[in-house]
Amino acid sequence: MSGNIEGHGGGGSETPIVWHRLVTALRENKLPDWDVYDSVTSGAIVPLSCESVANKSAAVDFPDFTKGKWENRLPIMPLV
């Protein structure tokens, strides 16, 4: 798969590899490399970092979006 998705990839560069991996997984009827918890976790980093910086680098609690389920979750990608 090649090409760009308008507004993504930064300055007209290629579409991010995670999008390619997502589309490939969907086309092959497979689970993607990440789940919704991975997505919201990565999305929380910037706002929590901004909060910390605004408070003179104070520690900020990171939310557990899985409500503890991460402790028993099987890996999505097998470790080699």
Side-chain angles (χ1 to χ4, degrees):
M1 178 181 352
S2 63
N4 298 331
I5 297 173
E6 188 67 33
H8 292 70
S13 65
E14 287 295 308
T15 303
I17 189 68
V18 293
W19 287 43
H20 289 289
R21 295 178 64 83
L22 174 61
V23 170
T24 299
L26 294 173
R27 285 182 175 165
E28 295 175 2
N29 200 28
K30 296 179 180 175
L31 291 174
D33 299 339
W34 64 94
D35 63 15
V36 67
Y37 299 115
D38 297 320
S39 297
V40 295
T41 297
S42 65
I45 294 170
V46 171
L48 293 173
S49 296
C50 290
E51 181 181 337
S52 174
V53 169
N55 290 303
K56 300 182 180 177
S57 298
V60 176
D61 287 336
F62 203 95
D64 178 5
F65 297 108
T66 71
K67 298 181 180 174
K69 292 179 183 175
W70 63 271
E71 295 184 53
N72 299 317
R73 184 177 114 178
L74 296 174
I76 293 174
M77 293 177 57
L79 300 175
V80 179

